[in-house]
Amino acid sequence: MDVLDAQNYRPVSNLAFIAKDVERLVCRQLVTFFECLRLMPSAQSAYRSKHLTETAVLKVTTDVLRAADQGKVSLLCMLDLSAAFDTFDHYILIDCLQQSFGVKGQALS
């Protein structure tokens, strides 16, 4: 490990046990809310039961193979977002939840 490379250092989560449980509960409630109002894209795999990484990979593979069978060319662009939420602006998230998805009141707080 190169000690001078800043990318080798990531923040460590200091959330207490109870905070992680609350986070899971809020996530479950939001996902249920989004699914009831059909706000989640049908191809969304994250945070959904019975939709794993394998589901997403299978969908991409199937789409590429179908395109190849039809003589079409496919281009796959991949983006590594492994640390995306470490630098996410939480005010933007709150505004998006309020404006786009109608989350308000105690849930938004």
Side-chain angles (χ1 to χ4, degrees):
M1 178 172 98
D2 182 5
V3 295
L4 299 177
D5 186 3
Q7 290 185 344
N8 289 329
Y9 298 95
R10 294 191 54 204
V12 176
S13 176
N14 292 326
L15 289 177
F17 175 76
I18 192 72
K20 289 186 180 184
D21 280 347
V22 170
E23 188 177 277
R24 271 189 223 106
L25 289 171
V26 169
C27 179
R28 245 185 251 147
Q29 287 178 340
L30 282 173
V31 169
T32 302
F33 176 75
F34 292 158
E35 285 177 343
C36 286
L37 296 178
R38 299 175 191 239
L39 295 173
M40 304 253 304
S42 61
Q44 170 90 23
S45 290
Y47 309 113
R48 297 176 85 180
S49 62
K50 301 177 185 173
H51 289 82
L52 307 172
T53 305
E54 290 86 356
T55 309
V57 171
L58 185 59
K59 168 87 170 99
V60 170
T61 303
T62 303
D63 289 349
V64 168
L65 290 174
R66 281 188 181 151
D69 286 345
Q70 296 172 2
K72 297 179 180 176
V73 177
S74 296
L75 173 66
L76 178 63
C77 178
M78 299 177 75
L79 179 62
D80 179 11
L81 297 173
S82 59
F85 289 103
D86 295 343
T87 59
F88 192 80
D89 186 335
H90 292 90
Y91 295 108
I92 293 174
L93 174 62
I94 290 170
D95 187 54
C96 183
L97 288 172
Q98 187 176 20
Q99 299 297 323
S100 299
F101 299 107
V103 178
K104 55 188 171 187
Q106 190 64 29
L108 189 63
S109 297

